[in-house]
């Protein structure tokens, strides 16, 4: 069953601004991952954060993880028009081997 | 470059026919592959876990006789949508696990857009 909830469902900002997306989940996890999907395409892995990590950076991406609140956030700084896509968080449940459970996604639109 | 190849990218078929979708891992041997289904503007729903050399594990509510999964080799898993109906129209995406890497992300194919007329 889907366990991830993402907030907001849609976000529209101006180029150059920062975009923050949030994800909540329900069960204990091994790790949490963020993926990007351009319309009608497959998923591209962005960043993985382990359950014992609290923050991780990759380029313009910053991910936080709060296991006590079962939530994560993805921050994209200095957004670009090319960042327009859907972003999904996915959790790897503690008992789920390599299985991923996806959130509902946030549709991000960057206006030039 | 892509490490998981999915084919075809698009397929249109008539109601009642069967469609086979292939998922290949290119750079590694994948003992486990996953098949997801995605409705327009929705999230990915896990359909089944494909295990090389054994039967697939289906998620609750997924008809195993409707969605046949075969994982006959370490680099290939196939999903066959049998007796397709218009409600089977969807975006199907596979992913593969690289068993040589712990706590690693999944590698996804580019998906298959199935339209049943």
């Amino acid at each position: 069953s889907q366990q991830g909830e993402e907030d907001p469902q849609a976000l529209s900002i101006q180029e150059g601004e920062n975009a923050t997306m949030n994800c909540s989940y329900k069960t204990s996890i091994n790790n949490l991952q963020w993926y990007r999907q351009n319309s009608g395409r497959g998923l591209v892995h962005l960043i993985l954060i382990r359950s014992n990590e609290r923050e991780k950076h990759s380029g313009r991406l910053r991910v936080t993880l709060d296991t006590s609140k079962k939530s994560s956030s993805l921050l994209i700084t200095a957004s670009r028009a090319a960042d327009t896509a859907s972003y999904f968080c996915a959790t790897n449940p503690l008992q789920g081997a390599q299985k991923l459970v996806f959130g509902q996604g946030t549709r991000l639109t960057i206006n030039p | 470059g892509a490490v998981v190849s999915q084919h075809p990218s698009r397929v249109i078929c008539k109601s009642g026919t069967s469609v086979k979708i292939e998922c290949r891992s290119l750079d590694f041997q994948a003992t486990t592959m996953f098949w997801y289904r995605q409705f327009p503007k929705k999230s990915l729903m896990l359909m089944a876990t494909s295990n090389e050399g054994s039967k697939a594990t289906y998620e609750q509510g997924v008809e195993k006789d409707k969605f046949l999964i075969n994982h006959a080799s370490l680099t290939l898993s196939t999903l066959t949508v049998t007796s397709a109906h218009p409600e089977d129209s969807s975006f199907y995406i596979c992913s593969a696990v690289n068993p040589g890497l712990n706590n690693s992300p999944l590698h996804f194919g580019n998906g298959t857009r199935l339209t049943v007329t």
Side-chain angles (χ1 to χ4, degrees):
Chain A
S1 63
Q2 296 296 316
Q3 71 163 0
E5 298 289 335
E6 290 191 57
D7 166 51
Q9 292 186 10
L11 178 62
S12 180
I13 60 174
Q14 294 300 120
E15 195 167 22
E17 294 180 340
N18 296 339
T20 300
M21 290 160 272
N22 303 296
C23 167
S24 62
Y25 57 93
K26 297 178 182 175
T27 64
S28 297
I29 62 172
N30 288 313
N31 62 66
L32 184 146
Q33 304 175 33
W34 284 90
Y35 288 84
R36 167 196 168 123
Q37 184 183 36
N38 285 7
S39 182
R41 302 284 290 176
L43 275 73
V44 174
H45 175 257
L46 295 177
I47 200 163
L48 180 153
I49 186 165
R50 295 182 174 80
S51 61
N52 62 352
E53 297 177 312
R54 292 296 166 259
E55 188 171 311
K56 206 161 184 181
H57 298 255
S58 177
R60 292 184 296 114
L61 306 180
R62 173 178 167 251
V63 166
T64 63
L65 178 64
D66 187 334
T67 52
S68 66
K69 295 181 179 178
K70 291 186 168 58
S71 67
S72 174
S73 68
L74 170 67
L75 168 68
I76 303 176
T77 60
S79 64
R80 304 168 182 168
D83 294 329
T84 294
S86 291
Y87 291 82
F88 294 92
C89 71
T91 51
N92 174 218
L94 205 55
Q95 305 300 330
Q98 292 277 30
K99 181 188 294 189
L100 285 184
V101 179
F102 282 83
Q104 296 302 308
T106 294
R107 174 69 189 170
L108 176 65
T109 302
I110 307 299
N111 302 304
Chain B
V3 296
V4 173
S5 171
Q6 189 172 339
H7 178 80
S9 58
R10 289 179 179 272
V11 58
I12 300 172
C13 71
K14 292 186 177 181
S15 191
T17 61
S18 295
V19 174
K20 181 184 284 188
I21 303 169
E22 293 186 348
C23 182
R24 294 180 184 273
S25 59
L26 302 179
D27 293 341
F28 57 91
Q29 294 182 326
T31 53
T32 303
M33 293 186 178
F34 298 96
W35 286 96
Y36 290 85
R37 180 175 182 174
Q38 186 179 32
F39 291 101
K41 297 184 180 180
K42 296 293 184 182
S43 186
L44 281 76
M45 300 283 293
L46 179 64
M47 299 175 65
T49 302
S50 173
N51 303 297
E52 189 270 336
S54 64
K55 291 183 179 180
T57 304
Y58 288 82
E59 295 298 303
Q60 192 173 7
V62 178
E63 300 176 60
K64 59 183 179 182
D65 295 330
K66 173 75 171 175
F67 299 100
L68 298 179
I69 290 173
N70 185 283
H71 194 154
S73 79
L74 286 171
T75 59
L76 174 64
S77 175
T78 61
L79 168 68
T80 301
V81 183
T82 63
S83 188
H85 291 283
E87 57 264 31
D88 297 325
S89 298
S90 193
F91 193 58
Y92 294 88
I93 310 176
C94 71
S95 66
V97 176
N98 187 338
L101 301 174
N102 289 326
N103 242 340
S104 65
L106 295 182
H107 299 285
F108 283 84
N110 275 332
T112 297
R113 173 77 58 195
L114 171 63
T115 304
V116 184
T117 61

